[in-house]
Amino acid sequence: MFLLPFCIIPYFSLIQVPVICDNFITGHWSIMENSEVDRLTQLLSDAQAVIKHQNSELTGLLESKSQELEEILGNIDQIIWYIDSQTLSLQYVNHAINAVFGFTKEDFLADPTLWQQRIHKDDRLLVRSFFETLLPGASQEICFRIHRANGELCWLNSRVYHNEKLDLFVGITSDITQSKLQSEEIAFLAFYDPLTMLANRSKLKLQLHSKLEHSPLVGFALIYIDLDNFKNINDTMGHEIGDQILIEVARRLRELTNHDQLLSRFGGDEFVVYLNSSDPIYINTFCSQLGEVFKVPFTINDVPFFLSSSFGISMYPEDARSPEDLIKHADTAMHEAKKNGKNQFLYYHSSMQRAIHNFLHVESLIRDALQDDLFTLYFQPLVNAASLTLQGFEALMRLPHPTEGFITPDTFIPVAEKNGDILHIGQIVLEQACDFIEMLRVKHPNPFYVAINVSAKQLHQIDFAHELLDYLKIRAIDPCYLKVELTESAVMDNVEIASRQLHTLKEGGVHIALDDFGTGYSSFAYLAQLPISTLKIDKSFIDTVCEIDSHSHIVKAISNLAHVLGMSVTAEGVETERQFNFLVENHIDTLQGYFLSKPITKEEILYNITTPFFLPEKALLYSI
Ligand code: C2E
Ligand code: CA
Ligand code: CA
C-alpha cells in the first residue's frame, strides 16, 4: 500500500488508479503484476518530480511577488503595519518605520511589543482604549506621541482597520510632527506675545469672559500699564534696545505677579494685569509695588535707562460689566494718569468717559473744518517795547464753525496733536502765514515777521525743517520773515531730534522762539547750545507780575538770562498798563497782549495798516 501525501491526490486521480480504488473501497485486494507496479512507481516518481518543480516555481514566484510588494511598500513614506488584535504584537511592518522611529523594521519584528514601549507615557492609555474600542470591520483615526530612538518626541497619525477575519488591526501611520508644531505655533501666537512670552490681549479677554461666566459675583480689577516716554527710547536707541527693555519689564512684572493674577502684553509698551481682588488697599499696594519695579534703571549693554510708568485701574463690577469696557476704562484712566503728569496710577471715573466723548466730538469738528476749509489764522501784533513800533505778528489758529460757533485752539489743538491732524493743520498755518507775509510785503516796506506755533508732533517729523524751508523757497519768501514758536516741552521731549531741526531752521534763516518759557523744565545746558533767538515768558508770570514778588523776580531773571545768552525776550499776555510799564522798565524787548491788541483777522490788519490800530490813547506811538 502506498501512503500518498495529501497534496498529490488530485494529480494521482488523473492516472490509472480506478482499479486500485475500486478494490480498496470494496475491501478486495487484487494481486498486480510486477511490471505494473514498476510502471506505477515510475509514474508516481514522475508526478512527484513535476510537483516538486512546480512547487519550487510557485515558491519563487511568491517570493519575487512578496519582494516586489515589499519594495513598493518600502518606498512609501507612511508606515504600513498589522498587529495581532488580541496581543497587539507586531506581525508586519514596512521599512518606513525606520525613518520615523529610528529603529529598523527587524528591531520591531524581533520585539513585537517595541512599538508600544516607544509610546509617550501620557498617551499609552489613549492608544490602549483606542484598540479596545475599535469594532470589527470599522476603521478609525488616532493621534498620539512616541519617542524616537534618539529620544525626540514625534507626533503620529494612524488610520486603523479592524480585520475580523484575520484577527488583525491593519494600519497606515504618518509622522505629523511638523504640521503639529506649526499648528501649535499658530495656536501659541494666537494667545501669547512672542517677544515677552506673556499672554496677549485675546488670551486676557478669553480669561475674563470665562471668569465672568463662572463667577460673575466676584469682583476684580484691571491695571493698564503704559511706559512713560518709551517712544523716545525706540526712536533714539532703536527697536532692538526697545525690545530688550520690554523683555526686562515683562520679567520684572512677572516676578511681581502670582498665579491669582494674569499679566498680559497688549502690544507696544502696554501691559495689563488682572488682579483677582477688588480690595482698594490690596490694589493700591500692588500699584505701589508696580511703581517700584520701574525705580531700578533698566541696564541694556551697560547703558542704564530710567523709566517710569503710568497706570489706569478699572474695577468689576463698578466700572463696567464686559471685559471690553473694563479694558477700555482702564486704558482711559491710564491716559488721564499721563495727562496728570505721568508716573502715577489713577482709578477710572465716569467723568473720564465724558472727556472721551468730548474728544470724539472735537475730532469730528476738526474733520469738518479740514474738509470745508474752515481753519482761519488770526494775527496778534508783537510790539517792540523800546521803540513802541510794530515788529511782527503771532499767527493763532481759529475755527469758526457754522453750527458750533467760534472754537479756540485750546479746544482743538490738543485733540489734533493727539490724533495727528496737527500735521495737516500745521501745513494750513504755514500756507496762510505765507499768504499773509506776501500781502504785508505788497502793502508795507517794513519787514514784519510772522511767528507760527509748531507742536511737538510736527517738530519730531524727520523732514519737518527741510520741508518748511523748501516750502518757503517755492513761495519765494525770505525765511527771515518767518519765526517758529516751540514750547519748552516740545523741545525737551526729544532734545536730539529737536536740536537737529532747530539747527537746520537756523541755518536756513528762520528764527526760533521758546514759548511758554518758565513752565517747563529746560536744562540751561541745552538752552545755551540750541540756536534759540527769543525766550517768550509765559503769560502766568505776566498776569501777576505786579502782585507777586517772586513772579516779578522770575521775569527779571529770565530777561537777564536771555540777554546773557544773546537772546531777546518777549512777554505775552500783557493786559494792563501797570504790567506794560513794568515790562518796559525791565528791558523786555517785545510785548504782546490784549493791552496792545487782541488777535485779529488779516483783513482788519490790512485795513489798519496805514492808520493807527492799537490802543487809542497810544495810537501815535504804535502807528506804523
Ligand atoms: P500760545 O502760543 O501761548 O499763544 C498765546 C495765547 O495767549 C493765545 O491764545 C492768545 O490769544 C492769548 N493771549 C495773548 N494775549 C493775551 C492777553 O492779553 N490775555 C489773554 N487772556 N490771552 C492772551 P489762543 O489763540 O487761544 O491760543 C492758545 C494756544 O493754542 C496757543 O498758546 C498755542 O499754544 C496754541 N495754538 C494757537 N494757534 C496754534 C497753531 O496754529 N498751531 C499750534 N501748534 N498751536 C497753536
Ligand atoms: Ca505761541
Ligand atoms: Ca505762549
Side-chain angles (χ1 to χ4, degrees):
M1 176 189 152
F2 301 102
L3 288 174
L4 298 176
F6 172 74
C7 62
I8 61 168
I9 287 174
Y11 186 79
F12 197 64
S13 64
L14 295 175
I15 53 176
Q16 302 148 1
V17 290
V19 181
I20 297 171
C21 286
D22 268 357
N23 289 343
F24 182 76
I25 294 161
T26 54
H28 297 287
W29 294 92
S30 59
I31 296 167
M32 282 190 262
E33 286 175 21
N34 269 352
S35 60
E36 186 63 8
V37 170
D38 289 347
R39 196 179 65 81
L40 285 176
T41 309
Q42 183 56 46
L43 273 175
L44 189 57
S45 106
D46 288 353
Q48 275 177 326
V50 169
I51 287 163
K52 199 173 169 193
H53 175 73
Q54 286 194 339
N55 231 354
S56 87
E57 264 191 356
L58 270 176
T59 312
L61 191 67
L62 259 180
E63 264 172 18
S64 85
K65 282 288 168 204
S66 81
Q67 250 173 28
E68 232 172 75
L69 195 64
E70 193 59 52
E71 215 169 291
I72 293 168
L73 295 181
N75 285 329
I76 293 177
D77 285 341
Q78 279 112 330
I79 309 171
I80 294 164
W81 50 269
Y82 51 82
I83 54 176
D84 186 286
S85 62
Q86 302 303 315
T87 61
L88 301 186
S89 63
L90 189 72
Q91 308 285 298
Y92 170 82
V93 68
N94 67 346
H95 281 293
I97 198 156
N98 196 345
V100 176
F101 277 73
F103 292 101
T104 64
K105 165 186 165 125
E106 288 71 28
D107 291 334
F108 280 100
L109 292 175
D111 180 357
T113 62
L114 177 61
W115 73 273
Q116 294 176 48
Q117 297 161 29
R118 306 307 301 175
I119 297 173
H120 187 286
K121 64 175 180 14
D122 294 345
D123 291 354
R124 283 188 191 153
L125 193 63
L126 169 86
V127 174
R128 183 160 351 125
S129 31
F130 173 81
F131 285 111
E132 278 170 9
T133 54
L134 185 57
L135 294 174
S139 107
Q140 225 182 322
E141 269 187 30
I142 178 175
C143 282
F144 60 98
R145 291 162 295 172
I146 57 114
H147 289 287
R148 300 188 209 267
N150 62 9
E152 243 176 47
L153 204 64
C154 160
W155 275 95
L156 297 183
N157 175 280
S158 297
R159 174 153 283 282
V160 185
Y161 169 66
H162 188 164
N163 189 321
E164 190 183 12
K165 272 192 208 148
L166 301 175
D167 270 338
L168 293 173
F169 290 121
V170 184
I172 179 159
T173 296
S174 323
D175 180 346
I176 55 159
T177 312
Q178 215 51 35
S179 64
K180 196 84 184 170
L181 288 179
Q182 272 165 9
S183 60
E184 272 177 7
E185 193 179 341
I186 291 166
F188 179 84
L189 289 179
F191 291 110
Y192 293 89
D193 163 45
L195 181 72
T196 59
M197 300 292 168
L198 294 179
N200 65 9
R201 184 192 292 261
S202 311
K203 173 89 176 175
L204 180 82
K205 270 201 206 168
L206 210 68
Q207 301 272 67
L208 292 179
H209 276 291
S210 146
K211 144 100 194 134
L212 291 181
E213 199 181 317
H214 294 107
S215 40
L217 300 179
V218 183
F220 62 86
L222 289 186
I223 306 175
Y224 208 113
I225 306 171
D226 189 290
L227 310 189
D228 297 331
N229 307 323
F230 181 71
K231 195 178 166 296
N232 290 351
I233 293 182
N234 254 348
D235 289 348
T236 52
M237 305 304 294
H239 285 254
E240 252 174 53
I241 298 282
D243 281 357
Q244 287 187 51
I245 290 179
L246 289 174
I247 291 170
E248 176 59 12
V249 169
R251 194 193 63 75
R252 292 188 191 180
L253 293 179
R254 203 185 269 123
E255 259 180 19
L256 198 68
T257 45
N258 61 34
H259 63 272
D260 253 5
Q261 302 148 354
L262 177 66
L263 170 64
S264 58
R265 180 179 173 223
F266 268 32
D269 58 344
E270 295 175 11
F271 297 83
V272 173
V273 187
Y274 159 86
L275 284 192
N276 197 18
S277 168
S278 54
D279 171 10
I281 296 175
Y282 176 77
I283 297 168
N284 286 352
T285 312
F286 187 83
C287 285
S288 307
Q289 287 169 344
L290 277 179
E292 292 295 319
V293 160
F294 292 93
K295 286 207 173 130
V296 182
F298 291 76
T299 305
I300 310 290
N301 301 340
D302 296 330
V303 180
F305 293 90
F306 295 87
L307 287 184
S308 66
S309 199
S310 303
F311 317 119
I313 304 152
S314 67
M315 311 270 286
Y316 173 84
E318 295 88 335
D319 296 332
R321 294 191 158 264
S322 79
E324 289 74 17
D325 284 348
L326 285 163
I327 293 169
K328 199 171 76 190
H329 292 344
D331 183 21
T332 303
M334 180 275 290
H335 276 105
E336 277 305 301
K338 292 235 181 231
K339 259 197 246 163
N340 280 6
K342 303 178 180 173
N343 196 20
Q344 55 186 282
F345 62 92
L346 262 191
Y347 283 84
Y348 170 78
H349 189 273
S350 55
S351 61
M352 295 176 185
Q353 198 56 32
R354 237 172 289 135
I356 289 190
H357 282 141
N358 288 345
F359 183 95
L360 295 175
H361 178 60
V362 173
E363 217 176 21
S364 81
L365 297 178
I366 294 174
R367 245 195 325 268
D368 290 349
L370 288 173
Q371 204 170 354
D372 302 338
D373 216 2
L374 299 178
F375 282 113
T376 311
L377 267 192
Y378 273 52
F379 300 92
Q380 188 175 27
L382 293 153
V383 175
N384 183 305
S387 63
L388 296 180
T389 53
L390 182 68
Q391 228 178 276
F393 299 89
E394 177 175 5
L396 294 157
M397 201 40 129
R398 299 287 180 265
L399 200 180
H401 195 273
T403 54
E404 302 277 331
F406 206 73
I407 305 168
T408 59
D410 286 335
T411 307
F412 63 81
I413 292 285
V415 175
E417 276 176 348
K418 223 174 232 162
N419 75 1
D421 280 344
I422 194 69
L423 300 180
H424 194 166
I425 296 174
Q427 186 57 31
I428 297 172
V429 168
L430 185 60
E431 285 167 16
Q432 293 190 12
C434 286
D435 293 344
F436 182 58
I437 292 170
E438 273 176 358
M439 280 181 219
L440 285 175
R441 305 254 334 121
V442 170
K443 279 267 195 178
H444 206 279
N446 279 15
F448 302 126
Y449 64 82
V450 173
I452 57 168
N453 290 284
V454 166
S455 77
K457 207 171 220 137
Q458 292 171 270
L459 182 71
H460 296 146
Q461 298 296 302
I462 211 80
D463 288 329
F464 166 74
H466 286 292
E467 280 177 6
L468 186 142
L469 293 172
D470 287 348
Y471 184 75
L472 292 178
K473 206 181 235 168
I474 292 167
R475 296 287 301 255
I477 288 174
D478 189 326
C480 74
Y481 295 126
L482 195 77
K483 197 163 185 170
V484 163
E485 289 194 8
L486 296 159
T487 60
E488 276 181 285
S489 52
V491 174
M492 295 304 154
D493 248 10
N494 191 331
V495 180
E496 208 180 305
I497 295 182
S499 164
R500 233 180 297 141
Q501 304 280 21
L502 298 193
H503 278 101
T504 308
L505 288 176
K506 175 76 197 283
E507 281 155 26
V510 173
H511 290 287
I512 295 145
L514 209 51
D515 208 354
D516 302 346
F517 190 76
T519 55
Y521 44 91
S522 296
S523 143
F524 288 132
Y526 281 124
L527 212 55
Q529 284 169 24
L530 293 173
I532 293 163
S533 55
T534 306
L535 294 186
K536 273 188 96 167
I537 306 174
D538 190 66
K539 182 176 172 301
S540 57
F541 298 110
I542 310 301
D543 282 344
T544 47
V545 76
C546 299
E547 285 84 36
I548 302 177
D549 278 351
S550 63
H551 282 187
S552 67
H553 295 317
I554 288 172
V555 170
K556 285 184 205 167
I558 293 177
S559 172
N560 290 336
L561 172 75
H563 293 143
V564 167
L565 293 174
M567 301 170 185
S568 70
V569 62
T570 300
E572 64 180 0
V574 187
E575 289 183 340
T576 67
E577 193 157 9
R578 274 185 77 202
Q579 291 166 358
F580 175 88
N581 291 332
F582 175 89
L583 296 165
V584 171
E585 279 161 25
N586 283 285
H587 318 293
I588 303 299
D589 304 291
T590 309
L591 304 173
Q592 173 188 6
Y594 292 177
F595 180 69
L596 300 155
S597 169
K598 283 197 164 186
I600 44 180
T601 62
K602 66 176 189 291
E603 287 76 19
E604 284 175 273
I605 292 167
L606 292 175
Y607 168 76
N608 282 311
I609 201 119
T610 49
T611 54
F613 63 96
F614 299 116
L615 286 175
E617 66 272 25
K618 293 189 188 272
L620 274 175
L621 290 176
Y622 307 132
S623 166
I624 45 173

